[in-house]
């Protein structure tokens, strides 16, 4: 793909350059996935507390109706993506390999499909607490993959202020193009959502960070933003993990979010472009978060596509919509290949944070027989958080929680750059997860 900026593009320090593998889908318009017979909506779809069901088995629900309320402040609501009947509230397989409580909806094939959700009033007329409540009740989370509740980011604590809002259009994971297509096809909604957030937070300057391998999206956003409107679209270097919000801030502002702190501590708020487009749909059309765009691709997919999928649709149904799997497919990843999770069941449903389904005909091209560390230092050069992954891995294997904490393992966001470059095939990112678990156990005592 053409790059707008080759040498002068902004970026962060360290990181890696995995193959992009986006050519199969970056040009494909978003298509709509039809409803299937049964949708499964796990109650835990966001960082924080799971949602709490407010429906019962046998109850009829309409598309857009609230079926679960937030389970706390760091939690969001769930809505029915389809009209139908609550078949059960029971344990179902989820993407993390566990069986977790979920609401199961049997689809009514004869329903009109109209939304049963109140359109919010003019956002400018809402008090800040009312605006936050609408966003939380509409179920919005970060759609880049982390699924952090959107309303929490917009709840600026007393004594804090926000100077800049940044739209994150850096889809740096290989293979994924869902955010690219949203920016190319719906730039007006992305800019509208960004302006809504800027107005709510009293901010006059907004930025959209987009990697330079998406020239059509950059041009579309610049056109939608107009001139002298307080919004600047910035082309960034193509590098992984440019889509992490701390890396995005480093690239645009040359400022480092301190260890253990948040972008808000630098007077900034970062929101994914898909989330911003969704906020525009909420306040302009009354649509809660009931569906999301998913990239279905990889060498094992018969017909790669970008698909607008109702939440709760099983992976198998989405793959079938895309022509099914090719012979020899050996691994299905939910999300991108760097941070996504390998799936053992195609019954797992699409959830709010699911950005892609990637099918591979070989298992993890970087995986091989593990060899001893040769102290080459490549993992240090790759880590965007300036950690020492090889030493952290040793500490994790020796269950040294105190050492792990002292070496700031909490700053690791499991981007897998260290594993990607390790010539000894040491499962570094998996050991980071083990190490973070050891620290959590130590601090819970």
């Amino acid at each position: 793909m053409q790059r707008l900026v080759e040498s002068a593009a902004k970026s962060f320090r360290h990181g890696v350059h995995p193959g992009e593998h986006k050519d199969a889908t970056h040009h494909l318009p978003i298509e709509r996935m039809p409803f299937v017979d049964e949708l499964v909506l796990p109650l835990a779809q966001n960082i924080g507390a799971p949602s709490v069901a407010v429906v019962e088995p046998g109850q009829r629900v309409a598309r857009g109706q609230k079926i679960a309320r937030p389970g706390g402040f760091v939690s969001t609501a769930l809505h029915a993506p389809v009209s139908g009947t609550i078949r059960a509230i029971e344990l179902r397989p989820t993407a993390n390999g566990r069986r977790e409580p979920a609401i199961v909806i049997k689809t009514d094939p004869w329903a009109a499909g109209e939304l049963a959700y109140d359109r919010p009033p003019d956002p400018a007329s809402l008090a800040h607490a009312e605006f936050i409540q609408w966003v939380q009740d509409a179920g919005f989370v970060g759609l880049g993959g982390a699924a952090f509740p959107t309303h929490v980011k917009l709840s600026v604590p007393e004594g804090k202020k926000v100077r800049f809002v940044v739209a994150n259009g850096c889809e740096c994971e290989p293979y994924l193009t869902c955010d690219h297509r949203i920016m190319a096809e719906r730039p007006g909604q992305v800019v509208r959502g960004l302006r809504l957030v800027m107005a709510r937070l009293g901010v006059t300057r907004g930025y959209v960070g987009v990697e330079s391998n998406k020239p059509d999206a950059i041009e579309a956003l610049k056109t939608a933003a107009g001139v002298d409107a307080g919004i600047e679209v910035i082309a960034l270097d193509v590098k992984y993990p440019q889509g992490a919000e701390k890396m995005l801030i480093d690239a645009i502002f040359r400022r480092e979010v301190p260890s253990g702190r948040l972008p808000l501590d630098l007077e900034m708020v970062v929101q994914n472009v898909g989330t911003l487009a969704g906020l525009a749909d909420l306040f302009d059309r009354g649509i809660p978060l009931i569906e999301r765009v998913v990239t279905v691709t990889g060498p094992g997919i018969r017909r790669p596509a970008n698909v607008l999928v109702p939440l709760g649709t099983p992976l198998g149904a989405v793959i079938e919509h895309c022509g099914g799997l090719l012979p020899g497919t050996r691994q299905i990843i939910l999300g991108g290949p760097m941070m996504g999770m390998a799936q053992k069941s195609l019954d797992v449903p699409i959830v709010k944070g699911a950005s892609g389904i990637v099918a591979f005909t070989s298992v993890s091209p970087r995986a091989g027989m593990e060899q001893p560390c040769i102290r080459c230092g490549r993992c240090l050069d790759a880590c965007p958080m300036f950690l020492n992954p090889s030493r952290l891995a040793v500490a994790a294997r020796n269950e040294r929680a105190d050492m792990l904490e002292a070496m700031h393992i909490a700053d690791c966001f499991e981007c897998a750059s260290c594993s990607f470059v390790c010539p000894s095939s040491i499962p570094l990112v998996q050991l980071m997860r083990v190490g973070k678990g050891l620290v959590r156990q130590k601090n819970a005592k």
Side-chain angles (χ1 to χ4, degrees):
M1 285 183 278
Q2 178 190 358
R3 296 182 183 178
L4 287 183
V5 181
E6 290 290 351
S7 59
K10 296 181 176 182
S11 190
F12 62 98
R13 295 159 290 175
H14 290 192
V16 296
H17 294 87
E20 296 177 23
H21 301 289
K22 296 175 184 280
D23 287 349
T25 58
H26 76 90
H27 59 292
L28 297 178
I30 298 168
E31 59 185 80
R32 179 173 287 278
M33 170 89 194
F35 297 124
V36 297
D37 293 340
E38 180 181 279
L39 301 184
V40 177
L41 292 117
L43 291 171
Q45 293 202 32
N46 53 256
I47 288 179
S51 308
V52 179
V54 295
V55 292
E56 297 178 347
Q59 181 178 339
R60 283 195 58 80
V61 293
R63 183 168 179 251
Q65 178 180 334
K66 185 187 292 185
I67 57 175
R69 62 173 172 81
F73 176 66
V74 186
S75 181
T76 61
L78 280 175
H79 301 78
V82 65
S83 297
T85 304
I86 303 298
R87 173 173 281 171
I89 301 174
E90 60 187 16
L91 297 178
R92 286 295 185 104
T94 59
N96 59 23
R98 297 191 294 266
R99 293 173 65 82
E100 296 185 343
I103 299 173
V104 183
I105 302 177
K106 176 179 172 48
T107 301
D108 178 357
W110 308 108
E114 294 181 356
L115 275 172
Y117 188 79
D118 294 333
R119 177 177 169 178
D122 179 3
S125 69
L126 295 172
H128 190 65
E130 294 173 324
F131 184 92
I132 294 296
Q133 192 67 57
W134 272 103
V135 175
Q136 183 179 21
D137 282 345
F140 277 90
V141 302
L143 298 180
F148 189 84
T150 302
H151 70 280
V152 178
K153 282 190 174 182
L154 302 180
S155 302
V156 182
E158 189 79 21
K160 298 276 189 181
K161 67 175 182 179
V162 179
R163 293 178 59 204
F164 307 120
V165 177
V166 183
N168 189 350
C170 291
E171 193 168 42
C172 58
E173 273 268 15
Y175 290 97
L176 303 187
T177 57
C178 53
D179 283 352
H180 181 169
R181 293 312 309 171
I182 289 172
M183 291 185 286
E185 296 181 37
R186 307 188 65 206
Q189 281 87 350
V190 174
V191 171
R192 164 69 171 152
L194 177 56
R195 287 195 171 121
L196 277 171
V197 173
M198 289 168 61
R200 175 51 49 185
L201 299 178
V203 172
T204 57
R205 293 295 303 172
Y207 297 87
V208 188
V210 187
E211 286 182 304
S212 59
N213 61 352
K214 305 171 183 61
D216 52 343
I218 292 172
E219 288 305 312
L221 289 165
K222 285 183 174 178
T223 300
V227 294
D228 298 328
I231 294 177
E232 184 177 354
V233 181
I234 300 178
L236 302 173
D237 197 6
V238 180
K239 188 164 64 171
Y240 180 84
Q242 184 66 86
E245 63 180 16
K246 292 183 178 179
M247 294 6 329
L248 182 59
I249 288 172
D250 188 354
I252 294 178
F253 300 98
R254 282 287 181 265
R255 297 187 65 187
E256 181 179 341
V257 180
S259 176
R261 309 295 286 275
L262 299 170
L264 187 58
D265 294 302
L266 297 182
E267 302 178 337
M268 301 175 193
V269 166
V270 180
Q271 295 284 355
N272 168 266
V273 289
T275 304
L276 293 171
L279 290 178
D281 286 340
L282 168 66
F283 286 101
D284 293 344
R285 300 164 60 197
I287 302 177
L289 184 57
I290 56 175
E291 55 195 8
R292 67 153 299 144
V293 182
V294 178
T295 300
V296 188
T297 187
I301 290 290
R302 193 175 298 276
R303 185 179 68 84
N306 289 298
V307 188
L308 184 60
V309 181
L311 298 178
T313 305
L315 265 62
V318 182
I319 291 171
E320 196 62 31
H321 173 74
C322 294
L325 298 172
L326 290 169
T329 299
R330 298 184 60 192
Q331 188 175 60
I332 305 292
I333 301 287
L334 186 61
M338 297 296 284
M339 295 188 72
M341 290 182 284
Q343 299 300 305
K344 63 179 181 181
S345 170
L346 296 184
D347 293 333
V348 166
I350 292 294
V351 292
K352 296 178 180 179
S355 51
I357 300 172
V358 189
F360 290 102
T361 50
S362 61
V363 177
S364 184
R366 293 293 305 175
M369 184 68 74
E370 182 179 348
Q371 302 292 328
C373 176
I374 59 173
R375 302 178 187 278
C376 64
R378 293 183 188 178
C379 57
L380 279 76
D381 291 337
C383 179
M385 298 305 293
F386 292 85
L387 301 175
N388 187 329
S390 61
R391 288 193 64 195
L392 285 166
V394 172
R397 281 184 157 141
N398 288 289
E399 301 184 2
R400 292 291 306 275
D402 53 342
M403 183 181 295
L404 290 163
E405 199 165 20
M407 294 168 63
H408 303 289
I409 193 171
D411 286 343
C412 171
F413 57 91
E414 303 170 17
C415 69
S417 294
C418 52
S419 295
F420 179 78
V421 298
C422 179
S424 296
S425 299
I426 298 172
L428 291 169
V429 71
Q430 288 83 358
L431 289 166
M432 297 302 111
R433 292 171 184 151
V434 170
K436 290 163 81 172
L438 291 169
V439 172
R440 283 195 295 271
Q441 289 178 13
K442 166 180 169 287
N443 293 334
K445 292 180 180 176

